[in-house]
Amino acid sequence: MKPGNMKKNKSNGKLKEYGIFIVLLTICSIYSTAFKSYKGGPRPPWVAPTAASAVANPLKGNVSATDAGKKTYTTYCVVCHGNKGKGDGLAASGLQVQPADHSSAKVQAQQDGALFWKMSEGRSPMPPYKGVLNETQRWQLVNYIRTLAKH
Ligand code: HEC
């Protein structure tokens, strides 16, 4: 083997080791981010900022918006929150935090703006939806959540 080749092989090996190290580091950091929120005692209550809660729903009372919200809800939310929004979706039992019951007084007592803000921002394990659904779709969802209230 020519000395030049040997040198090349050696540096390839180093590169590989370095690559494995980076992969391990990435896995560790993903794990620590995923579980960070469950360490250190009870979860603090989830409260929307006052200014966000005060934002008015531009689609309030708009029936076709509510229908559109139902479709979006079925696609994105039912898996965790369940068909009737009770927090009993298929994925719910595998989560460390139970999905909220959208029919409950606790959820229904909140202002439209607060629900809009929470679905926009998310809180682990619930993902944020502001990058997934546009504002109109999110207000439509608020309309639909109102129909889930216990009668
Ligand atoms: C991966 C499961 C999951 C999905 C999917 C999901 N959620 Fe959630 N959601 C949760 C969990 C868990 C909570 C409770 C979070 C907490 O209390 O910290 C929650 C809480 C909420 C809340 C706050 C309720 C309260 O108590 O104030 C709203 C509003 C909400 N979800 C709306 C939605 C909407 C709308 C969708 C679909 C676009 C959705 N969620 C999709 C898991 C999910």
Side-chain angles (χ1 to χ4, degrees):
M1 207 185 268
K2 278 190 230 152
N5 274 351
M6 255 175 77
K7 208 171 168 195
K8 203 174 162 202
N9 283 344
K10 213 170 163 192
S11 70
N12 266 351
K14 268 220 179 104
L15 212 67
K16 221 183 237 168
E17 262 173 44
Y18 187 64
I20 290 168
F21 178 69
I22 294 287
V23 168
L24 286 178
L25 208 70
T26 312
I27 292 171
C28 287
S29 72
I30 290 172
Y31 266 90
S32 68
T33 323
F35 292 112
K36 200 163 52 193
S37 45
Y38 306 120
K39 279 190 218 140
R43 278 164 85 78
W46 193 11
V47 183
T50 316
S53 299
V55 176
N57 179 355
L59 301 176
K60 201 173 182 72
N62 180 327
V63 179
S64 60
T66 306
D67 289 344
K70 180 176 184 166
K71 289 206 181 91
T72 311
Y73 194 87
T74 306
T75 308
Y76 291 93
C77 320
V78 161
V79 62
C80 288
H81 288 282
N83 248 329
K84 300 243 162 18
K86 302 220 180 272
D88 56 358
L90 278 177
S93 60
L95 299 173
Q96 305 217 18
V97 179
Q98 279 314 102
D101 177 355
H102 289 157
S103 72
S104 67
K106 180 178 165 270
V107 169
Q108 294 294 332
Q110 297 177 47
Q111 286 170 284
D112 283 6
L115 300 178
F116 179 86
W117 181 84
K118 288 184 179 181
M119 66 178 78
S120 304
E121 301 301 323
R123 183 163 87 153
S124 178
M126 171 161 155
Y129 285 95
K130 63 183 170 195
V132 181
L133 303 169
N134 64 35
E135 288 202 9
T136 304
Q137 289 173 304
R138 280 175 274 146
W139 287 117
Q140 290 168 342
L141 281 169
V142 172
N143 274 17
Y144 179 64
I145 287 175
R146 291 301 178 202
T147 70
L148 299 171
K150 283 190 195 117
H151 294 294

